[in-house]
């Protein structure tokens, strides 16, 4: 048999998972002064090591452990084996260690390996040190410990049975297994973070896997799905699993007292020795836990793929590039290997430099992207020019967008062309997120000019979202009261007692009717659906699809389907100005022509009013007596001027005789 080819690897920080049980009988029997000293020294040790006062760089975190295997787990990441050796023995010098027993430990080193073509280029020295891929792999080798609540650690090895020997398979077969396995892992980006560490020659198993999440069910779902993948079902062997919850060193008294942690401000047993100098702290360490630095943890996974969303933290998510030869070797495809991560705790900065501009909105407008449709005021955009043809980079940009979409702060990323020039546009809700994304976008083929800028202000200075919502509700109430006095039911703010969505389409009536009929059938399976109707004008030039729902969430979900209808050119309420929709003008059949004539008369009056832009009368394709009126104004005050006018009151009075039911209005600002 030929010698099999191992993957190239690179190692980073050394890792120690130190799992300890508490001698609860000894703890209960100890005098209070002894317990106080033990807590003080334990807190001092953990604070000093979380602040990395013993080494140039690294990470430390402490967790409770659930079940019988252990009570606490201390995780150390350090640049050298000597640092880990000193940390383990240093803990034994504390009074707190006398009440613990080491039940399990695991020694390993963070690892990246090269199975994909892109990662092999890195190991062969063909990638610049400042490239997104190089910085990303370095970030994987020097990870931050995330702030997620739960941790799950376990060791594992690849199976070596006669008919299932991982090490007898070809390099190409192993690479295919790893890619497929990684595709599963990428589906959990933003939900599960991970750290992969190799341990061949270090410990009894071949890898140590550390997973983090704010919901253990995500970890369970990930591992369950991966168990059915051949790389796991055929080739993986697992050791014991250790599951726990992260806590702050200052909460050690609460842990020993059996209290829930984090304490969230609840009473914690007092430690009399708080503030006393800790004789067992490393050289140069802070004197007490109250003086030690607050530990910091940045979001490696999020920074790598989404520009640092603050609601997710930690190491790379399953499905990342450059990982090892193990069940979680979720190396991405070649197209995904340009991901990276932000700097913290010795990790590189992956963000890229770009020129700040103050005309970002105008530039997007020239590319066909407008506020209210493509982005919201206050978003931040990157506009990178590429000398490559658009079709040559669209796949790479699409892959990046798929990664970015894991994160809430990503709005959109796409290739746009203008006057023969190619641009990559990436929009985010925050500048810091865009800055990190720039580190990946700069690696796209042909990128030269790199620009970024704010897309306006989200709110007036000092105005909060709650303030804006309150003002909107107040103005809507004012409109409703005005209409109510005229005998018109105006419904709830931004809707009636249902939520309304309207999109406009240029598709021919027959095509649109067929598409909406199919969509309506699907919507009717949901109790929250009220109705979805096609309206058109008399000339057949304009069509509107109105969809009504009982809940806002259902309406927003439906909007994704409505915008996929053929010929859609816009959605009601987009852009500036103030829009109102007068809906459900159901006319008595004998007055149909009279109503249309009356609308023409009122329409003439509207054209002469200040601030009026456009008002259209559309008819239900299935019932010509069900009419829909859409009206657009420069501002709310302009619309209110009409609602308060004598002409409007006279129209309402006239309508009492010709309408089959009470008119209802929906307002969109």
């Amino acid at each position: 048999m030929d010698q099999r080819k191992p993957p190239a690897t690179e190692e980073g920080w050394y890792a120690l998972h130190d799992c300890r049980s508490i001698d609860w009988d000894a703890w209960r029997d100890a005098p209070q002064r002894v317990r106080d000293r033990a807590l003080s020294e334990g807190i001092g040790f953990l604070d000093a090591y979380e602040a990395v006062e013993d080494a140039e760089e690294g990470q430390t975190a402490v967790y409770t452990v659930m079940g019988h295997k252990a009570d606490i787990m201390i995780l150390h990441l350090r640049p050298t084996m000597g640092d880990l050796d000193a940390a383990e023995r240093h803990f034994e010098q504390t009074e707190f260690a006398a009440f613990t027993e080491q039940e399990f430990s695991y020694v390993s080193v963070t690892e990246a390996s090269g199975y994909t073509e892109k990662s092999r280029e890195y190991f062969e020295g063909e990638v610049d040190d400042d490239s997104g891929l190089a910085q990303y792999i370095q970030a994987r080798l020097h990870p931050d410990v995330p702030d997620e609540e739960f941790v799950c650690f376990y060791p594992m090895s690849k199976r070596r049975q006669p008919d299932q020997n991982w090490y007898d398979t070809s390099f190409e077969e192993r690479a295919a297994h790893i890619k497929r396995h990684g595709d599963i892992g990428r589906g959990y980006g933003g939900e599960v973070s991970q750290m992969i560490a190799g341990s061949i020659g270090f410990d009894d198993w071949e890898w140590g896997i550390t997973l983090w999440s704010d919901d253990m069910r995500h970890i369970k779902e990930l591992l369950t799905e991966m168990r059915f993948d051949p790389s796991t079902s055929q080739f993986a062997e697992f050791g014991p699993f250790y599951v726990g919850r992260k806590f702050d060193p200052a909460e050690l008294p609460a842990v020993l007292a059996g209290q829930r942690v984090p304490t969230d401000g609840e009473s914690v047993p007092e430690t009399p020795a708080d503030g006393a100098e800790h004789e067992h702290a490393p050289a140069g360490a802070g004197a007490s836990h109250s003086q030690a630095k607050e530990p910091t943890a940045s979001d490696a996974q999020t920074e790598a793929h989404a520009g640092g969303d603050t609601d997710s933290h930690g190491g790379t998510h399953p499905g990342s590039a450059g990982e090892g030869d193990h069940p979680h070797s979720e190396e991405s495809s070649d197209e995904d290997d340009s991901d990276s991560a932000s700097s913290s705790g010795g990790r590189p900065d992956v963000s890229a430099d770009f020129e700040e501009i103050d005309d970002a909105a105008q530039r997007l407008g020239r590319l066909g992207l407008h506020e209210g449709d493509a982005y919201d005021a206050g978003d931040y955009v990157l506009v990178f020019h590429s000398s490559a043809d658009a079709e040559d980079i669209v796949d790479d940009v699409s892959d990046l967008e798929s990664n970015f979409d894991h994160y809430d702060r990503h709005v959109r990323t796409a290739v746009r062309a203008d006057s023969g020039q190619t641009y990559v546009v990436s929009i985010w809700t925050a500048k810091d997120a865009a800055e990190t994304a720039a580190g990946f976008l700069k690696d796209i083929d042909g990128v030269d000019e790199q620009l970024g800028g704010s897309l306006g202000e989200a709110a007036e200075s000092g105005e909060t979202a709650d303030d804006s919502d309150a003002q909107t509700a107040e103005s809507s109430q004012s409109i409703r009261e005005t209409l109510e006095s005229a005998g018109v039911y105006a419904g709830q703010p931004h809707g009636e007692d249902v939520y309304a969505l309207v999109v406009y389409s240029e598709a021919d009536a027959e095509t649109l009717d067929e598409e909406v009929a199919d969509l309506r059938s699907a919507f009717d399976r949901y109790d929250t659906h009220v109705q979805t109707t096609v309206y058109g004008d008399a000339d057949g030039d304009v069509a509107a699809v109105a969809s009504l729902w009982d809940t806002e969430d259902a309406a927003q979900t439906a909007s994704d389907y409505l915008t996929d209808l053929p010929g859609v050119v816009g959605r009601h309420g987009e852009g500036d100005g103030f829009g109102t929709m007068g809906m459900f003008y159901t006319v008595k059949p004998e007055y149909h022509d009279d109503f249309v004539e009356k609308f023409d008369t009122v329409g003439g009056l509207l054209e002469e009013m200040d601030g009026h832009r456009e008002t259209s009368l559309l008819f239900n394709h299935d019932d010509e007596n069900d009419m829909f009126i859409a009206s657009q104004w420069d501002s709310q005050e302009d619309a209110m001027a009409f609602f308060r006018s004598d002409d409007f009151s006279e129209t309402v009075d006239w309508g009492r005789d010709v309408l089959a039911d009470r008119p209802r209005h929906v307002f969109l600002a």
Side-chain angles (χ1 to χ4, degrees):
M1 178 180 291
D2 295 335
Q3 171 74 32
R4 297 301 186 186
K5 177 184 177 182
T9 63
E10 184 170 334
E11 288 69 38
W13 283 343
Y14 295 87
L16 172 64
H17 291 74
D18 188 354
C19 298
R20 295 179 175 261
S21 62
I22 305 295
D23 186 341
W24 294 106
D25 290 336
W27 181 257
R28 283 187 291 268
D29 292 342
Q32 184 63 46
R33 59 181 175 78
V34 175
R35 287 189 288 176
D36 289 343
R37 185 168 65 251
L39 289 172
S40 177
E41 294 186 7
I43 292 171
F45 172 88
L46 295 172
D47 267 337
Y49 275 85
E50 282 203 358
V52 197
E53 296 176 353
D54 63 303
E56 293 182 358
E57 56 186 8
Q59 297 276 307
T60 291
V62 60
Y63 303 87
T64 62
V65 176
M66 288 173 272
H68 71 285
K69 298 171 189 172
D71 293 306
I72 63 171
M73 178 173 70
I74 306 171
L75 168 61
H76 295 295
L77 296 170
R78 290 297 186 273
T80 70
M81 290 280 273
D83 294 329
L84 292 186
D85 180 36
E88 185 175 17
R89 289 184 291 104
H90 192 174
F91 178 78
E92 294 292 355
Q93 307 307 308
T94 67
E95 186 76 19
F96 178 65
F99 293 95
T100 72
E101 187 73 26
Q102 190 177 60
E103 300 289 351
F104 175 85
S105 67
Y106 203 80
V107 180
S108 57
V109 62
T110 57
E111 176 184 277
S113 65
Y115 271 107
T116 69
E117 181 179 347
K118 286 287 187 181
S119 59
R120 290 196 294 275
E121 290 176 2
Y122 168 82
F123 286 106
E124 293 169 1
E126 299 176 4
V127 175
D128 293 337
D129 291 342
D130 63 350
S131 70
L133 174 61
Q135 294 186 45
Y136 170 69
I137 289 179
Q138 287 302 309
R140 284 187 33 73
L141 299 176
H142 309 95
D144 282 341
V145 173
D147 289 334
E148 271 88 340
E149 178 180 358
F150 295 101
V151 67
C152 173
F153 170 78
Y154 58 94
M156 57 79 53
S157 294
K158 286 297 190 182
R159 188 169 293 155
R160 293 187 300 278
Q161 301 296 331
D163 296 329
Q164 293 175 311
N165 192 330
W166 176 260
Y167 297 98
D168 278 343
T169 59
S170 67
F171 183 92
E172 291 74 20
E173 183 178 351
R174 280 176 276 136
H177 276 298
I178 287 171
K179 180 184 182 302
R180 184 182 58 251
H181 207 69
D183 290 340
I184 297 173
R186 279 192 295 279
Y188 292 82
E191 295 177 345
V192 180
S193 307
Q194 72 172 6
M195 179 180 72
I196 304 301
S199 52
I200 295 178
F202 285 26
D203 221 310
D204 296 339
W205 299 79
E206 294 172 342
W207 288 274
I209 314 299
T210 310
L211 305 176
W212 292 278
S213 181
D214 280 326
D215 189 335
M216 274 301 299
R217 291 172 297 182
H218 294 322
I219 293 178
K220 177 180 180 292
E221 291 163 1
L222 165 65
L223 296 181
T224 298
E225 187 172 355
M226 286 185 167
R227 291 294 170 96
F228 288 89
D229 182 72
S231 63
T232 299
S233 63
Q234 296 181 23
F235 297 109
E237 301 281 0
F238 299 97
F241 281 67
Y242 292 83
V243 173
R245 300 174 66 242
K246 195 173 190 289
F247 70 91
D248 187 270
E251 294 177 318
L252 186 61
V255 173
L256 272 292
Q259 292 188 355
R260 183 185 182 93
V261 292
T263 56
D264 295 329
E266 298 175 5
S267 175
V268 180
E270 183 181 358
T271 304
D274 281 359
E277 291 202 3
H278 176 47
E279 59 187 277
H280 296 288
S288 72
H289 75 273
S290 62
Q291 296 170 338
K293 297 177 182 177
E294 288 290 334
T296 60
S298 71
D299 189 342
Q301 166 215 325
T302 303
E303 297 287 353
H305 284 291
D309 285 352
T310 57
D311 60 351
S312 180
H313 304 270
T316 58
H317 68 71
S320 302
E323 296 185 359
D325 212 351
H326 45 71
H328 297 287
S329 57
E330 293 90 357
E331 295 201 27
S332 64
S333 62
D334 292 345
E335 291 83 2
D336 291 333
D337 280 339
S338 61
D339 297 347
S340 182
S342 74
S343 64
S344 180
R347 299 171 56 186
D349 179 7
V350 303
S351 60
D353 293 330
F354 53 84
E355 179 185 348
E356 287 268 4
I357 55 175
D358 56 13
D359 62 343
Q362 290 88 335
R363 290 174 183 260
L364 286 194
R366 291 195 292 270
L367 296 174
L369 301 173
H370 303 282
E371 181 183 333
D373 179 17
Y375 62 88
D376 293 328
D379 288 347
Y380 197 92
V381 66
L382 300 172
V383 182
F384 285 16
H385 177 267
S386 172
S387 58
D389 291 336
E391 58 268 25
D392 292 338
I393 64 172
V394 67
D395 288 341
D396 289 340
V397 174
S398 178
D399 288 333
L400 273 181
E401 182 183 33
S402 296
N403 285 332
F404 291 163
D405 278 341
H406 288 305
Y407 305 96
D408 292 339
R409 296 206 287 178
H410 178 240
V411 178
R412 68 189 302 161
T413 296
V415 178
R416 310 293 286 193
D418 178 51
S419 301
Q421 301 296 310
T422 301
Y423 298 90
V424 180
V425 175
S426 190
I427 304 175
W428 299 79
T429 61
K431 180 181 178 181
D432 61 338
E435 287 174 336
T436 303
F440 310 114
L441 297 172
K442 71 177 183 181
D443 291 335
I444 293 172
D445 187 36
V447 165
D448 40 38
E449 185 181 46
Q450 303 174 38
L451 307 175
S454 176
L455 295 168
E457 297 293 332
E460 294 294 329
S461 177
E463 179 182 324
T464 66
D466 290 341
D467 294 335
S468 178
D469 290 344
Q471 292 172 7
T472 299
E474 182 178 354
S475 63
S476 297
Q477 178 65 24
S478 173
I479 298 173
R480 292 199 310 278
E481 290 173 352
T482 299
L483 292 175
E484 191 68 31
S485 66
V488 177
Y489 170 59
Q492 302 300 317
H494 291 280
E496 316 158 314
D497 30 18
V498 293
Y499 290 83
L501 294 166
V502 176
V503 297
Y504 297 100
S505 172
E506 294 178 340
D508 65 87
E510 183 177 354
T511 299
L512 193 60
D513 284 340
E514 291 176 355
E515 293 282 347
V516 172
D518 292 339
L519 200 57
R520 186 188 302 116
S521 297
F523 287 165
D524 282 341
R525 293 198 295 266
Y526 301 94
D527 294 337
T528 52
H529 180 236
V530 178
Q531 70 180 57
T532 298
T533 308
V534 181
Y535 294 85
D537 65 2
D539 298 326
D541 296 330
V542 179
V545 180
S547 190
L548 308 183
W549 297 79
D550 284 332
T551 67
E552 185 174 10
D553 287 343
Q556 290 303 319
T557 301
S559 68
D560 294 335
Y561 297 93
L562 291 171
T563 53
D564 286 336
L565 288 170
V568 167
V569 294
R571 174 174 166 178
H572 197 83
E574 290 179 340
D576 59 356
F578 179 81
T580 92
M581 297 185 296
M583 298 178 64
F584 300 123
Y585 280 80
T586 306
V587 182
K588 296 175 183 177
E590 62 270 26
Y591 289 106
H592 174 87
D593 293 340
D594 292 337
F595 187 88
V596 174
E597 183 179 346
K598 185 68 172 179
F599 174 81
D600 290 339
T601 301
V602 174
L605 295 174
L606 290 174
E607 291 178 358
E608 298 176 0
M609 294 196 68
D610 293 337
H612 176 258
R613 296 187 180 183
E614 182 180 14
T615 297
S616 302
L617 176 65
L618 300 96
F619 305 91
N620 184 338
H621 282 190
D622 297 324
D623 179 4
E624 66 174 5
N625 296 312
D626 174 18
M627 304 181 191
F628 165 78
I629 295 179
S631 190
Q632 190 76 18
W633 302 78
D634 286 342
S635 69
Q636 176 184 314
E637 279 306 311
D638 292 326
M640 288 295 294
F642 171 66
F643 293 140
R644 297 189 182 104
S645 69
D646 293 339
D647 291 326
F648 179 74
S649 297
E650 292 173 3
T651 302
V652 171
D653 289 338
W654 175 84
R656 300 186 197 282
D657 295 327
V658 304
L659 297 181
D661 60 10
R662 192 181 186 194
R664 289 177 287 173
H665 288 69
V666 175
F667 298 90
L668 298 179

